[in-house]
Amino acid sequence: MATKCENCPLRQHDVFEDMSPEDVRFMQRFKVGEMAVDPGTPILMEGSNSPQLYTVLNGMGLRYKMLANGRRQVVSLIFPGDFVGLQAGIMGEMGHSVEATTKMTLCVFDRSEIWKFFKERPERAFSLTWLAAVEEHFLGETLSTLGQRTAIQSLAWALVRVFVRGRSLGLVHNGAMSFPFKQQDIADALGLSLVHTNKTLAALKKKQLAHWSEGSLRVSDLQGLADIAMIDDLSPARRPIL
Amino acid sequence: MATKCENCPLRQHDVFEDMSPEDVRFMQRFKVGEMAVDPGTPILMEGSNSPQLYTVLNGMGLRYKMLANGRRQVVSLIFPGDFVGLQAGIMGEMGHSVEATTKMTLCVFDRSEIWKFFKERPERAFSLTWLAAVEEHFLGETLSTLGQRTAIQSLAWALVRVFVRGRSLGLVHNGAMSFPFKQQDIADALGLSLVHTNKTLAALKKKQLAHWSEGSLRVSDLQGLADIAMIDDLSPARRPIL
DNA sequence: CGGATCATTGAAGTCCCTCAAGTCCTGTGG
DNA sequence: CCACAGGACTTGAGGGACTTCAATGATCCG
């Protein structure tokens, strides 16, 4: 039933660092199971200390934080290959909640075993830290977007990042990829109102740069989008996988 | 001349996790020297791959990213105890630049030795990852601020975080702490214009909540500030030190 | 004293938000 | 089969939070 790490379909993508056979075997031993969840399922809650950590095998989701006034900040979108629960695993408390947007299947690991990464498999521990660094890097870029980019620049930035990431995961076919989020999700990710997000997306469509509708994202002019977004490096960050 | 890790003045503060004598000795061996820099000195550059990593012994600074249009996003303020260069150490490339605001003294480590953390001292490697997780946690909160808080809420949030952090480092005396940044720095950190930042600070002063002038920050009503900022947890994140 | 840097304040403009409808689609039940 | 409700998306109108422009103080320093 469950996917064997040995046959993990994710590792074939070039974005992911190679993994030694020993590492693969180690992870297999560490993997306690597989979990399938439906759209809308909460996976981790802010402030909680989950006993389980996950690597996303497939499906998409999002990380978010709620404020006391009811407003929601989407911290990041979650794609296959992402590791979920690092903060719980290391600090013992999540700083955000995690929720499934589509059906997802997750590889399940035991939090209590994390220490074995460090004790027995330093290579794996290094990969975990690497993943944390990648996340920090990305959050810094997101911060720059919310703080310094205009609405249209922000949207362009987000679509470029999504598209490039999707492409690196083999999710793009004929110039389009599945993008199952709601406009409200993206609005909450960029600190924009739903209305303005909608109008700005219409502007991008009119400029023949990107079309997003019915859960499908088509980028017609990636370089044009990147120019608006002031992005110079279109290569996706190479990263390890757990 | 150089401070011995054994006598490190930082470790005495409660915010920092205890360190075993073995860990202290290990770090001492790992420490290649001490560096003193003047205000305004660039310490690390975005995109660079520094051969050296640092722990801040004292002084303050900031991390920032520049955009193609010349706008600057301050990613975070740097206080004593912060580790600088994680991304270079792990990914081989910094996602932001780092600059000294005051005179700073930094403990210097060799990037090439980082792997020894993982190979020889898993406890230290774990601490490094912990630090990365703390940073990720904080960036998520900052993201929520830029995306969802109004100007006055943002300023209140920033001042609370700074003050609580300063207090945990013993920098607060008689209700005030040294806060050597420019208004432009804080404006760039919160994605606000200098003018509006100035006016909003005046509003906080008028409400008798916080006074910041001439490099000194005085918080008269921490709870009042926290209420405006919608912060419920005023305890600083406990963290390890490298 | 001139020049530079930072803080402050007023005024005008704009990007984006909120409010308010309205469309389209899907699912449900009478 | 159609009425109705709910959810996501769309569009228009008006207002406001914040930006930009511009000028003035205040302080420091060669």
Side-chain angles (χ1 to χ4, degrees), chain A residues 31-225:
Chain A
K31 177 173 172 176
V32 301
E34 219 160 272
M35 184 170 85
V37 300
D38 285 327
T41 308
I43 296 172
L44 291 174
M45 289 295 290
E46 178 173 354
S48 72
N49 177 6
S50 164
Q52 323 221 283
L53 313 172
Y54 312 94
T55 285
V56 178
L57 246 187
N58 61 59
M60 298 181 193
L62 39 80
R63 296 181 231 260
Y64 66 93
K65 280 172 79 79
M66 296 299 304
L67 270 76
N69 62 358
R71 296 181 63 108
R72 179 182 71 152
Q73 176 66 40
V74 168
V75 175
S76 67
L77 305 182
I78 295 177
F79 287 93
D82 279 355
F83 184 69
V84 168
L86 174 83
Q87 293 183 13
I90 301 292
M91 296 192 304
E93 179 174 346
M94 290 298 291
H96 51 254
S97 301
V98 178
E99 186 177 300
T101 297
T102 64
K103 281 178 57 173
M104 291 179 88
T105 108
L106 308 155
C107 298
V108 183
F109 305 114
D110 256 347
R111 165 176 143 65
S112 57
E113 304 283 299
I114 272 269
W115 173 243
K116 287 197 180 150
F117 278 35
F118 290 87
K119 195 69 179 175
E120 301 175 14
R121 269 270 130 191
E123 295 85 353
R124 294 278 76 201
F126 189 86
S127 290
L128 182 69
T129 310
W130 185 343
L131 235 27
V134 168
E135 198 62 33
E136 187 193 322
H137 185 110
F138 183 74
L139 288 180
E141 213 185 306
T142 309
L143 214 52
S144 300
T145 298
L146 297 227
Q148 310 302 334
R149 282 188 244 252
T150 64
I152 195 162
Q153 292 169 344
S154 293
L155 257 315
W157 173 84
L159 295 184
V160 167
R161 284 298 175 231
V162 162
F163 194 75
V164 167
R165 183 86 199 276
R167 204 168 49 179
S168 78
L169 295 169
L171 300 175
V172 173
H173 305 289
N174 303 319
M177 67 180 276
S178 168
F179 192 57
F181 298 94
K182 289 181 275 187
Q183 291 187 0
Q184 183 71 64
D185 294 329
I186 305 308
D188 288 348
L190 298 175
L192 299 171
S193 71
L194 171 60
V195 171
H196 198 57
T197 300
N198 179 283
K199 288 173 180 169
T200 307
L201 282 169
L204 288 174
K205 188 178 298 184
K206 194 166 170 200
K207 284 180 197 277
Q208 304 276 4
L209 293 166
H211 298 243
W212 171 29
S213 61
E214 291 150 48
S216 177
L217 171 64
R218 172 175 303 277
V219 171
S220 342
D221 184 355
L222 185 58
Q223 189 56 52
L225 270 188

Side-chain angles (χ1 to χ4, degrees), chain B residues 92-103:
Chain B
E93 181 174 343
M94 290 298 291
H96 51 255
S97 301
V98 178
E99 187 177 300
T101 297
T102 64
K103 282 179 56 173

Side-chain angles (χ1 to χ4, degrees), chain B residues 152-164:
Chain B
I152 195 162
Q153 292 169 345
S154 293
L155 257 314
W157 174 84
L159 295 184
V160 167
R161 285 297 174 231
V162 163
F163 193 75
V164 167

